[in-house]
Amino acid sequence: MTLVGVNVRRTLQLLLAVVLLFGATTVIASQSAHAAFPGSSDWIVFENDSDGDFDLYVTPVDGGTPTKISDSLFWQVDPVFSPDGTKVAFASNHEGTSSIYVAGFDPTGPSMDASTSWVRVSSGGSDGEPTWAPDGLTLAFQRLFNFNVSGTADGTSATVLTDDATPPSGPATFGASGVVAGHTVTNTTAATAGSVVSVDSATQVTTDIAWTVGDEYIISVSHRQIMKAAADGTDSGAEIQLGGQGATPAYSDYQPSWDPDGALIAFTTTRNGNADIYVFTTAGGSPTNLTDNTATSIDAWATRPSWSPDGDFVAFQTKEPDTAVENIWKVNRAGSAATAVTS
């Protein structure tokens, strides 16, 4: 059996618990398993595509033979146990688009509810990475948000796209619209496509394709948002956005992780132009940066936050932009005392 896609958030949680001696249990997680460690369950749930589709499996925490608990023509990924271990939340395209679902889990089988009994928590589109509130009543998750910025090119510089700023639409304000380097840009007049190389000003971007005056353009923008919804499905279609991004975000918030007391959600965000770990209160308010890598020794992208069992620390993954070296760090919940766990 080939196990795929490490769920780093859950692995980080376990690693931090061991490193900080918060618990006495030692578990060795496969480097290739997309595994979620349970709340009060004795099982580990993970995804596997050995039969051609991503299905969910469980295995005892002390080892043993994996058991498939989902068997669908569609895929199921990002599984995570509820705090009491009686349910599994996961993402699936069971009804056409990637949505968050909840299914009951019976450890005596072990088995999971049939797909006809799954509770659809979110309205879908491209949802994933669910995380449970400690009371088991609410889920937070990430949603991919896509939109287009379009208009007419002005100016004559070969690869520089300048919006014509013609009323009634006005200037494109590329940065405020969420355009960043790497986004796909299409010259619909010339039928060519390429990428944004840099955002030079509110109305100008440099691209890797040519432009002439009057060319029509479309820039495809994608960002991620953090949403929350009731785990019983009563909010499906009316999920609440967290983090204050607004309707057309200019950055991504993703990889949410609920703290053990339910007051905070840690998450990864690109709102400062690179990836940092922030927290916001579940009651609202402005998010707080825990890892500002422009002002501390964490000179690397910080992703995959995971709380320690007592909620005092957040573990996260770093990646050096120049060397691609990855390590595990931890920081306290106030954003100080950042320490490398691995090096």
Side-chain angles (χ1 to χ4, degrees), residues 259-301:
D259 84 325
D261 65 13
L264 298 173
I265 293 177
F267 62 101
T268 303
T269 182
T270 60
R271 62 184 64 204
N272 278 352
N274 46 34
D276 277 304
I277 305 302
Y278 277 61
V279 294
F280 53 65
T281 68
T282 54
S286 300
T288 300
N289 192 339
L290 299 186
T291 63
D292 186 358
N293 62 36
T294 62
T296 72
S297 59
I298 309 173
D299 187 20
W301 281 51

Side-chain angles (χ1 to χ4, degrees), residues 97-249:
T97 58
S98 180
S99 302
I100 304 300
Y101 291 84
V102 168
F105 175 70
D106 181 359
T108 61
S111 62
M112 189 176 81
D113 287 346
S115 59
T116 53
S117 299
W118 293 352
V119 174
R120 190 175 185 177
V121 173
S122 72
S123 58
S126 189
D127 299 342
E129 297 275 357
T131 180
W132 289 89
D135 60 9
L137 300 178
T138 309
L139 286 158
F141 52 93
Q142 69 182 36
R143 170 170 293 170
L144 184 64
F145 184 83
N146 298 300
F147 60 96
N148 292 327
V149 176
S150 61
T152 305
D154 195 2
T156 57
S157 182
T159 59
V160 174
L161 166 60
T162 304
D163 189 86
D164 70 356
T166 301
S169 61
T173 58
F174 291 118
S177 297
V179 176
V180 296
H183 279 152
T184 298
V185 57
T186 302
N187 184 329
T188 57
T189 302
T192 57
S195 298
V196 173
V197 175
S198 62
V199 178
D200 307 321
S201 71
T203 60
Q204 180 176 292
V205 295
T206 297
T207 73
D208 58 6
I209 59 175
W211 300 93
T212 60
V213 176
D215 286 348
E216 300 292 326
Y217 69 84
I218 295 176
I219 300 177
S220 301
V221 179
S222 63
H223 290 289
R224 285 170 284 184
Q225 300 174 314
I226 295 176
M227 313 293 291
K228 74 171 182 177
D232 62 4
T234 54
D235 290 337
S236 184
E239 302 89 348
I240 298 172
Q241 180 192 332
L242 303 175
Q245 287 175 297
T248 56

